Amino acid sequence: MACPRRGNTPGARAAARGRGICHPARSVIVVFDPAPSVVRGPADLLATIPYVLGYHPRESVVVLFFTRDGRLTCGLSVDRQTPDDIIIAESSTAASRADASSAFIVGYGPLSDRERLTRLADMLHRAVAVQACLLVDDSRYFCLNDRCPCTPEHGAVLDHAGNVIAAEMTLHGRVALPSREDFGTFVKPDPNAQARTAAALNRMPDLPAEPVAVVHTSLNIASTGGQLSDEQAARLALALQDNDGRSAAWLATTGETWQHELWLDLVRRVPEHCVAAPANLVAWNAWRRSEPALAWAALSKAEQALPDNTMSHLIGVVLTAGINPETLPWPLPDGAGLEDLLP
């Protein structure tokens, strides 16, 4: 059974308006989850970035924003090949939403990026005060501020292992994966589990009569620490193919850890033709948990399984809008629509 391409999920009009925005290859990673450590200089800043993003960036441009009292309020990362105007537009939006008073720009790439990074810093300075511009090339970093003595001309050694930030972040439960691509392993299928679920689906040829009830029953099982049986997973997969069942699951999904585990478990267990809906729910939950890199990985999975589906497009719009999850009430109040909250 194939999941429907379109439906009356929350905010369908906003998704239609946002067609073409959800492109994980050029996605914007915005994190509104401040680091618990105090940043004391360039070395600390560079040691903090992987734990803010959740992975060690490469071939990227990272912008970090700080409040007037010096707190790191959010970070943004874009692929290095992203056009300058998009980087400046997304950075300016993130700075405004975070009420930032200053910013730091860090490029991860070759030394030939020097001029481009300083140009980006000058452009962004019109929206928010750019305190420093750094370039990381392999294992060395360079300060690009004019006549700044904080790094020698040949750069300074980048030593994450010798920086106390890594230990502090680990104590606070932060992790930094080797690369952004590693988040794809979280949504990789389990072939044996898929086969068992497919066999159960073959015994259930029709959609459940009460898809919303199936969703709520599944959520109740997961919320008390239970794992769905093969039959229950198959029944939930079918319920998510129904517009009402899918909407009920989306409206019930916040940032709870048990929801994270439920939807990831379902993504790994269902056949590929049923994976789009649970992958979208992984993405939504991950965004609510300030894990945008995982959100993009799951969204990419959903789009590959079912291109041009409404739910993926809307979540992609939210991810690129720079909205702080804590400021978005969910479920939405009666009469409110996601399209009314998006810029």
Side-chain angles (χ1 to χ4, degrees):
M1 247 180 187
C3 298
R5 294 175 67 84
R6 303 178 188 277
N8 296 320
T9 49
R13 283 186 287 129
R17 184 182 64 190
R19 295 278 181 222
I21 293 181
C22 178
H23 294 294
R26 286 179 54 190
S27 62
V28 178
I29 301 294
V30 182
V31 183
F32 287 89
D33 191 10
S37 299
V38 177
V39 176
R40 305 174 185 86
D44 283 355
L45 184 73
L46 296 175
T48 298
I49 287 175
Y51 295 92
V52 172
L53 297 178
Y55 62 94
H56 290 269
R58 59 190 181 196
E59 298 296 316
S60 304
V61 176
V62 175
V63 187
L64 299 180
F65 301 99
F66 290 79
T67 57
R68 294 187 184 281
D69 59 359
R71 291 182 300 106
L72 174 58
T73 181
C74 75
L76 175 147
S77 174
V78 296
D79 296 333
R80 177 172 162 263
Q81 301 301 326
T82 303
D84 291 359
D85 59 340
I86 293 179
I87 295 177
I88 296 303
E90 299 295 346
S91 298
S92 298
T93 297
S96 176
R97 289 186 176 276
D99 194 25
S101 65
S102 63
F104 288 73
I105 294 181
V106 182
Y108 291 81
L111 290 178
S112 57
D113 281 357
R114 282 174 180 264
E115 291 186 7
R116 183 202 182 195
L117 289 169
T118 55
R119 183 173 66 250
L120 285 172
D122 290 340
M123 295 168 66
L124 183 58
H125 194 76
R126 301 167 190 167
V128 60
V130 177
Q131 297 296 320
C133 183
L134 303 172
L135 172 63
V136 179
D137 180 23
D138 196 15
S139 60
R140 306 189 75 83
Y141 67 93
F142 303 80
C143 179
L144 305 185
N145 285 16
D146 189 29
R147 294 186 295 276
C148 180
C150 70
T151 60
E153 184 177 352
H154 60 278
V157 175
L158 184 61
D159 181 19
H160 288 313
N163 193 295
V164 70
I165 293 290
E168 292 178 357
M169 291 292 189
T170 302
L171 285 174
H172 284 89
R174 300 294 185 93
V175 296
L177 297 184
S179 72
R180 181 177 167 186
E181 289 70 29
D182 285 298
F183 281 93
T185 62
F186 287 96
V187 292
K188 287 184 63 174
D190 179 336
N192 293 330
Q194 280 185 320
R196 294 194 303 270
T197 306
L201 282 168
N202 288 335
R203 298 190 294 268
M204 305 173 188
D206 300 321
L207 290 173
E210 298 291 341
V212 174
V214 172
V215 167
H216 288 158
T217 297
S218 303
L219 292 172
N220 288 337
I221 292 171
S223 67
T224 57
Q227 184 180 35
L228 302 184
S229 67
D230 293 334
E231 288 71 21
Q232 290 169 331
R235 196 172 294 113
L236 178 57
L238 287 177
L240 293 176
Q241 294 187 45
D242 178 85
N243 284 337
D244 291 339
R246 195 162 53 252
S247 291
W250 192 3
L251 290 170
T253 298
T254 54
E256 296 291 336
T257 299
W258 62 265
Q259 295 171 348
H260 168 86
E261 294 169 350
L262 168 65
W263 299 130
L264 274 179
D265 182 57
L266 198 65
V267 162
R268 296 165 181 150
R269 296 170 65 184
V270 300
E272 290 301 308
H273 68 266
C274 291
V275 80
N280 279 324
L281 293 167
V282 169
W284 185 252
N285 170 266
W287 174 72
R288 302 288 312 190
R289 292 163 57 86
S290 292
E291 297 177 354
L294 175 58
W296 277 114
L299 204 61
S300 178
K301 177 87 170 178
E303 286 249 303
Q304 290 170 8
L306 189 62
D308 200 37
N309 74 84
T310 295
M311 193 172 179
S312 289
H313 276 287
L314 180 56
I315 295 174
V317 171
V318 173
L319 282 172
T320 56
I323 298 173
N324 187 336
E326 294 184 359
T327 66
L328 180 67
W330 196 258
L332 294 173
D334 291 341
L338 271 176
E339 61 270 24
D340 301 321
L341 302 177
L342 297 174

